[in-house]
Amino acid sequence: MAELRIAGVTKSFGAGPPAVERIDLRFADGELTALLGPSGCGKTTLLRMIAGLETPSAGRIELGGADITALPAHRRRFGMVFQNFALFPHLSVAENVAYALSIAGVAKARRLARAEELLELVRLPGLGARRVGELSGGQRQRVAIARALAQEPDVFLLDEPMSALDAQLREEMQVELRLLQQKLGITTIVVTHDQREAMTMADQVVVMSKGRAEQVAPPQEVYRNPANAFVAGFIGKANMLPATAMGGAARLDCGTSLALSPPAAFRDGAELVLACRPEWMRLASGPGPNRLPARVAFVRDIGQVREIHAEADGRTLVCELPFSAPERPRLGETIHLEFPPDMLRAFPARDRAEVA
Amino acid sequence: MSTPPHAPAPAQARAQARAAAQQADRADPGAGAAGADLSAPRGRPGATGAPVDARPGAPSRGLRFVHAQYALALVVAGLCLSPFALVFAISLGEVEAGAAWNWGVSAANYARVFVGLDWPESASFVYMRKLGWSLAYAALGAVIAVAFAFPFAWAMTRRSRRAQTVWLVFLLSSLSLSEVFVVMGWDVLLSNRSGLPMAFRETGLTDWLKAVGWFDVLREIGLATPRNVRFKPSVFATVLTLSYLVFPYAVILLYPALSRLDPAMMEAARTMGARPFTVIRTVALPACRLPIAGAALLLFVYLLGAYVAVTVFADPSRQTLTITIYESVRGATLNAPFGAAQAMVLLVTAVACLGASLALAKRAERRS
């Protein structure tokens, strides 16, 4: 197998801003990459260009150094799982799985044997004779995966593969799909809008917005060190605070100064957005550095965490405490929220509009 | 034809299989199974399957509704079946002098349709041959119309919504042309003096055909005289006009099925190595096989009754039962009972064709 690279890939549909704009990515051999973003961010268009179902308006797609930009889908050997699975209702389960082999001219006995092998791989042994209409959603998805793997594809593509499944099954299938992908060691690209799904399965996450790649990094890196305010807001939850840079620290509108570690690399007076995840904040017993007084507006105890919604500086901040935390703030009480300097992220304020 | 009031057994079995499959998903020994058990309400009222509408007053209302249904069914059956019953009764009668005929219970008219007037001294299959031509023209016309309509409707569904609407409106409006008008158009187009044959001669196409030797082939299949091509009368012209007549119907019948076809299915086939034509052959055509067969069947039955095109384009020796039925009832021969007998034979043939293809479809569905 070989490495897949895309360089400067752009796709425009008619007038208006391009659906995908100058994206450069490397998909390492055997790794799973998640294209993550809100709907309409261009992630599916990008996947379809990789599959050969759309032609890029500009840019190159390379597989193992060979330019495959103009290669039609049927000559790429990329297995693809579609959002609605797109199984063939007129064929049996085994014939569905063996479709690619029958197109390639493999003898019937051999391709049916291979289909049974693949059905065992996706834990559906003995279902080959069934009709597609007799399968449940989860079984259909497994058949779609087996069918896409039948031609031993160079790259395995999945377009929102879990969106047609119910919540509980989705969690199970994410783990199962990841295990399968690691077992086969196949280069895989998954399109998803679910950050949990991306975090569960991916080696590399590409966060997309408005046709651009906002950040390309391993999932934990994306979570801990978001590249900008959009990523911070889209992946997980984050409290956002407008501020002004002042001597390496950030000054809030209310006058409180918050220290940053490492110090913010902005010139003094620059407008900033500060981001801090709810579970990174602490409750302090009294005023002090990097602390902000706030009034408790709402407490949500959902078992494993306790969420404190508190009003400060004219906005609501959320602080998440583990269930074992001793603090139990009451409604209307004044608390002191502490922002640990190494847990605060500062972004230039041009991102502010995107956050709001 | 009536549909049975209960769902057919195979469909029920399939629904059960699907429900069982869905249960299998849930019953996976996963982490959430225990949680689902906790939240499942026990003994929820109404979940037992007892009928909710079991009030004492309900039966009488239901009964009245049933009576109304029976009455309506009787009226409909009377209106639909009485003409057929009348034609059948007439077909058993005997012709008198002139146009007059008497009621009767004789099978002589049927015998004449099947084996001729002089049976048992000698057998003549004139009317069976005419029935054969009826079936042949209708089958060819329907199949050709559907064969051309499929790629046409396919191409239509690839266009933008707006373009599709324009095409549909155009096709629907073309249905307002009467059969007589369409046949007149083709009559002019195919006529020897002023139509295509003239164009062939004037443009030198005839000479070219003669030069390359294809003219002899045309003569052999009856589409040319020694001097020029000649399209009428011919089977070719008849079938061409018949398929032209039903082409818009064929497109309109296939269009819903093709536009419902999931584009992701075609794309999936492409990612699995199928060329565009292979995609149509292995995915689109098989997925639409029931609508295609249904459209062909409907048009076939419709074309069994074609009249104008056959009178204009078919050679008298190759005309259909419809023509002689008309001649018997209103035309030259004036023998209403015999015409009725021919009509009954044509009707039974059409019903038999429908029944046979339904049985075939059911068998195919059971097998796959």
Side-chain angles (χ1 to χ4, degrees):
Chain A
M1 271 181 236
E3 186 184 78
L4 179 72
R5 292 180 73 123
I6 62 176
V9 165
T10 298
K11 178 72 183 177
S12 325
F13 296 101
V20 171
E21 200 175 354
R22 273 178 283 129
I23 290 199
D24 304 289
L25 288 173
R26 268 188 58 222
F27 302 92
D29 190 13
E31 288 209 336
L32 193 149
T33 304
L35 303 180
L36 177 63
S39 59
C41 72
K43 55 192 191 297
T44 294
T45 307
L46 181 60
L47 189 82
R48 290 172 58 81
M49 285 192 282
I50 293 169
L53 297 172
E54 304 274 0
T55 317
S57 309
R60 272 166 73 87
I61 302 174
E62 288 173 17
L63 183 70
D67 186 354
I68 59 163
T69 317
L71 206 63
H74 64 266
R75 290 179 53 200
R76 287 197 189 189
R77 272 167 57 103
F78 287 6
M80 181 153 171
V81 173
F82 288 77
Q83 195 167 357
N84 60 359
F85 311 143
L87 297 176
F88 304 134
H90 59 283
L91 297 179
S92 72
V93 168
E95 286 165 334
N96 260 284
V97 174
Y99 180 83
L101 303 175
S102 85
I103 294 298
V106 176
K108 186 162 187 177
R110 250 188 69 202
R111 66 176 192 248
L112 289 182
R114 172 91 176 116
E116 188 51 40
E117 224 171 84
L118 283 157
L119 286 173
E120 264 167 44
L121 185 72
V122 296
R123 303 198 310 169
L124 288 178
L127 286 194
R130 291 268 184 96
R131 294 183 54 145
V132 171
E134 293 168 2
L135 302 182
S136 71
Q139 288 171 330
R140 278 176 210 210
Q141 196 204 32
R142 287 157 198 251
V143 173
I145 290 171
R147 186 179 70 168
L149 292 174
Q151 55 181 336
E152 291 173 18
D154 294 324
V155 181
F156 186 30
L157 308 171
L158 299 103
D159 183 10
E160 304 254 8
M162 311 290 173
S163 60
L165 306 180
D166 54 37
Q168 186 196 322
L169 192 58
R170 200 178 300 175
E171 298 263 310
E172 290 170 26
M173 280 309 294
Q174 286 166 7
V175 175
E176 198 177 318
L177 183 62
R178 174 59 164 165
L179 290 173
L180 180 68
Q181 184 265 335
Q182 283 176 333
K183 184 169 151 193
L184 299 175
I186 184 170
T187 312
T188 304
I189 305 172
V190 180
V191 159
T192 177
H193 62 267
D194 180 353
Q195 51 131 337
R196 207 176 144 82
E197 190 171 305
M199 305 282 282
T200 308
M201 300 197 294
D203 296 300
Q204 173 182 251
V205 174
V206 179
V207 184
M208 290 183 66
S209 161
K210 295 179 185 163
R212 292 189 310 264
E214 300 284 353
Q215 186 169 11
V216 183
Q220 286 69 33
E221 176 69 11
V222 171
Y223 189 78
R224 289 203 195 106
N225 291 312
N228 55 40
F230 170 80
V231 177
F234 187 73
I235 311 286
K237 287 173 278 186
N239 292 301
M240 300 284 184
L241 291 163
T244 314
M246 196 65 73
R251 221 177 126 89
L252 299 181
D253 295 349
C254 63
T256 311
S257 187
L258 298 177
L260 296 166
S261 162
F266 295 98
R267 62 180 170 71
D268 286 358
E271 298 212 318
L272 304 179
V273 178
L274 291 178
C276 188
R277 301 219 177 270
E279 72 272 23
W280 292 345
M281 305 208 319
R282 296 195 199 121
L283 277 193
S285 49
N290 269 37
R291 290 177 191 173
L292 199 61
R295 206 178 57 81
V296 177
F298 180 67
V299 177
R300 173 155 70 173
D301 197 330
I302 46 176
Q304 77 269 36
V305 289
R306 213 157 40 242
E307 261 179 33
I308 320 292
H309 297 236
E311 281 165 9
D313 196 19
R315 58 188 63 234
T316 304
L317 300 174
V318 181
C319 168
E320 245 179 52
L321 301 173
F323 75 100
S324 55
E327 300 96 337
R328 294 187 175 276
R330 274 194 298 277
L331 227 58
E333 195 182 324
T334 299
I335 53 172
H336 297 272
L337 295 171
E338 183 179 329
F339 300 86
D342 57 336
M343 291 298 183
L344 266 175
R345 305 284 177 265
F347 307 109
R350 64 173 161 81
D351 293 349
R352 259 190 210 180
E354 284 178 35
V355 174
Chain B
M1 279 193 298
S2 66
T3 45
H6 303 293
Q12 256 172 11
R14 215 170 300 134
Q16 275 167 7
R18 190 177 304 143
Q22 266 154 7
Q23 222 160 32
D25 257 3
R26 303 283 143 62
D28 235 23
D37 222 337
L38 273 176
S39 60
R42 281 169 220 281
R44 197 199 307 146
T48 50
V52 182
D53 197 31
R55 287 159 304 164
S60 74
R61 242 177 75 199
L63 211 62
R64 241 185 300 156
F65 183 60
V66 167
H67 281 159
Q69 270 186 320
Y70 278 131
L72 194 68
L74 260 166
V75 170
V76 170
L79 285 174
C80 288
L81 293 179
S82 53
F84 292 116
L86 196 61
V87 170
F88 179 64
I90 293 171
S91 74
L92 301 176
E94 279 166 61
V95 72
E96 233 185 51
W101 54 273
N102 296 320
W103 298 102
V105 273
S106 125
N109 291 318
Y110 286 97
R112 186 176 165 196
V113 175
F114 287 113
V115 286
L117 210 50
D118 295 331
W119 181 258
E121 277 78 45
S122 67
S124 136
F125 300 108
V126 175
Y127 294 98
M128 283 294 100
R129 256 199 301 279
K130 286 184 188 301
L131 178 64
W133 281 112
S134 286
L135 295 173
Y137 286 138
L140 278 171
V143 166
I144 290 171
V146 169
F148 278 91
F150 183 82
F152 185 88
W154 170 268
M156 228 169 93
T157 56
R158 311 281 108 178
R159 298 283 166 280
S160 69
R161 270 257 161 271
R162 217 186 119 72
Q164 290 186 31
T165 316
V166 170
W167 274 109
L168 276 178
V169 168
F170 173 70
L171 283 168
L172 282 170
S173 57
S174 80
L175 290 182
S176 66
L177 299 176
S178 85
E179 188 187 351
V180 178
F181 194 78
V182 169
V183 168
M184 205 173 81
W186 279 106
D187 193 18
V188 172
L189 198 62
L190 298 177
S191 74
N192 296 327
R193 298 246 176 80
S194 52
L196 280 175
M198 182 202 70
F200 268 56
R201 195 182 56 233
E202 295 300 318
T203 57
L205 206 57
T206 306
D207 293 335
W208 179 78
L209 282 173
K210 281 178 180 166
V212 294
W214 291 351
F215 195 79
D216 295 331
V217 180
L218 287 177
R219 279 201 66 190
E220 264 170 47
I221 58 174
L223 289 179
T225 61
R227 298 215 327 262
N228 195 8
V229 290
R230 187 208 54 164
F231 296 124
K232 150 190 126 121
S234 71
V235 176
F236 165 76
T238 314
V239 170
L240 174 73
T241 313
L242 289 180
S243 46
Y244 179 89
L245 271 171
V246 293
F247 176 79
Y249 291 105
V251 175
I252 287 165
L253 284 167
L254 291 180
Y255 175 75
L258 278 169
S259 62
R260 265 202 311 272
L261 212 57
D262 182 6
M265 237 161 59
M266 261 73 79
E267 288 174 345
R270 279 168 64 195
T271 63
M272 286 183 283
R275 294 158 181 285
F277 183 72
T278 316
V279 173
I280 295 180
R281 188 172 56 82
T282 59
V283 180
L285 266 174
C288 289
R289 65 194 195 282
L290 276 180
I292 288 171
L297 192 65
L298 189 75
L299 298 180
F300 166 74
V301 172
Y302 175 79
L303 285 180
L304 277 180
Y307 179 80
V308 186
V310 179
T311 52
V312 172
F313 293 115
D315 187 84
S317 67
R318 289 167 175 176
Q319 281 185 345
T320 62
L321 216 47
T322 351
I323 313 291
T324 48
I325 291 171
Y326 184 81
E327 277 175 0
S328 299
V329 178
R330 308 289 306 261
T333 53
L334 277 188
N335 183 345
F338 181 53
Q342 292 175 68
M344 286 312 292
V345 170
L346 191 59
L347 177 72
V348 169
T349 310
V351 170
C353 288
L354 280 173
S357 43
L358 276 182
L360 274 178
K362 262 202 191 120
R363 225 180 65 190
E365 200 180 352
R366 220 176 303 132
R367 214 179 32 218
S368 66

